[in-house]
Amino acid sequence: MRLLELTGSIADFHARPIPDDLPEAEAWSYRPPGRGLVLGSAQQESIADLAAAERAGIAVAKRRSGGGAVYVDPARCVWVDVVLPPHDERWSDDVREATYWLGEAWQRALASLGIDTRLYRGGLEQTPWGRLVCFAALGPGEVLVGDRKLVGISQRRTRAGARFQCIAYDRWDAHDVLDLLDLSDADRTAAAADLATRATGVGDHLDALRAAIVAELLGSGRTPVE
């Protein structure tokens, strides 16, 4: 696996295609230029409160992988994507099991920081707000502390391969994402109460976590190529 250190706009990053004829897997360590709200592939832009996002200087973009909305802040999250070609030994045709190896890599990275986790091996969880907010529900291969999501993983699959998109936060605050969605006051209050205990963060370990997961994915002796 090789490492690409990527910057650029949030929209451009998420529009980046899975390369054809990829010779080996790639880890894309992404550092966004500013804060953003990233919608899932099935979500319409109308679910976002565009006026609120504009006032806050937050870019709204859409990704090609599924799931709910995700809040992005370069100072408060680690975002790493993994692109896997079908010939890679870690490939699985089972969409559910395809994420397990990646979740286990995150577990080992977190264990090196002294954070004890477990892997969610169930199917896509159905919760009241799960279609709206990524961290409101669990998906296969995601990493938990207790019953709270710590690492979110979504995936997109094409003939060229699979792109797994991963994010972890320093702390979880449901209002980060809910305040950017077009919700009634009543729904926002209800969602915030429900989501308050559904996720968690790694505290002041973001830089160490980025280094740990990159090292785990690449193995020793590898260097960035971009």
Side-chain angles (χ1 to χ4, degrees):
M1 187 177 295
R2 66 174 191 163
L3 172 66
L4 278 67
E5 297 275 9
L6 300 176
T7 55
S9 76
I10 293 174
D12 287 348
F13 174 71
H14 288 289
R16 188 181 179 94
I18 300 172
D20 291 325
D21 302 319
L22 195 65
E24 63 176 317
E26 293 181 344
W28 298 353
S29 179
Y30 176 56
R31 297 180 186 269
R35 294 182 297 159
L37 176 70
V38 181
L39 306 178
S41 59
Q43 293 182 308
Q44 299 299 314
E45 192 178 66
S46 58
I47 74 164
D49 186 336
L50 298 179
E54 184 176 6
R55 286 194 301 271
I58 292 176
V60 178
K62 197 168 186 177
R63 66 183 186 274
R64 295 180 177 180
S65 60
V70 173
Y71 173 72
V72 178
D73 184 336
R76 293 192 40 227
C77 72
V78 170
W79 192 300
V80 177
D81 283 11
V82 175
V83 182
L84 210 64
H87 58 76
D88 190 281
E89 62 181 6
R90 290 158 290 201
W91 178 271
S92 174
D93 289 332
D94 187 310
V95 175
R96 178 165 155 176
E97 294 184 358
T99 55
Y100 291 172
W101 74 270
L102 181 54
E104 290 167 352
W106 278 97
Q107 283 190 287
R108 291 190 294 271
L110 288 157
S112 73
L113 306 180
I115 301 174
D116 186 32
T117 64
R118 68 182 182 92
L119 189 72
Y120 179 71
R121 296 180 181 272
L124 184 62
E125 189 181 27
Q126 301 299 318
T127 67
W129 306 101
R131 291 182 180 273
L132 186 66
V133 177
C134 173
F135 272 59
L138 301 176
E142 294 185 324
V143 179
L144 289 70
V145 171
D147 292 326
R148 297 188 178 199
K149 182 188 293 195
L150 181 62
V151 180
I153 301 176
S154 62
Q155 66 174 297
R156 170 177 170 78
R157 298 164 75 94
T158 70
R159 290 184 178 181
R163 179 179 180 178
F164 303 95
Q165 302 200 275
C166 312
I167 190 169
Y169 296 101
D170 61 346
R171 60 181 175 82
W172 169 248
D173 184 343
H175 280 287
D176 287 336
V177 61
L178 293 176
D179 289 351
L180 300 174
L181 300 178
D182 187 14
L183 297 170
S184 68
D185 290 342
D187 280 349
R188 185 172 288 106
T189 298
D194 182 65
L195 272 56
T197 59
R198 286 203 173 263
T200 189
V202 298
D204 298 326
H205 298 296
L206 286 180
D207 289 341
L209 177 57
R210 183 184 294 273
I213 186 57
V214 167
E216 183 62 44
L217 291 171
L218 271 64
S220 60
R222 302 295 184 89
T223 56
V225 298
E226 186 174 310

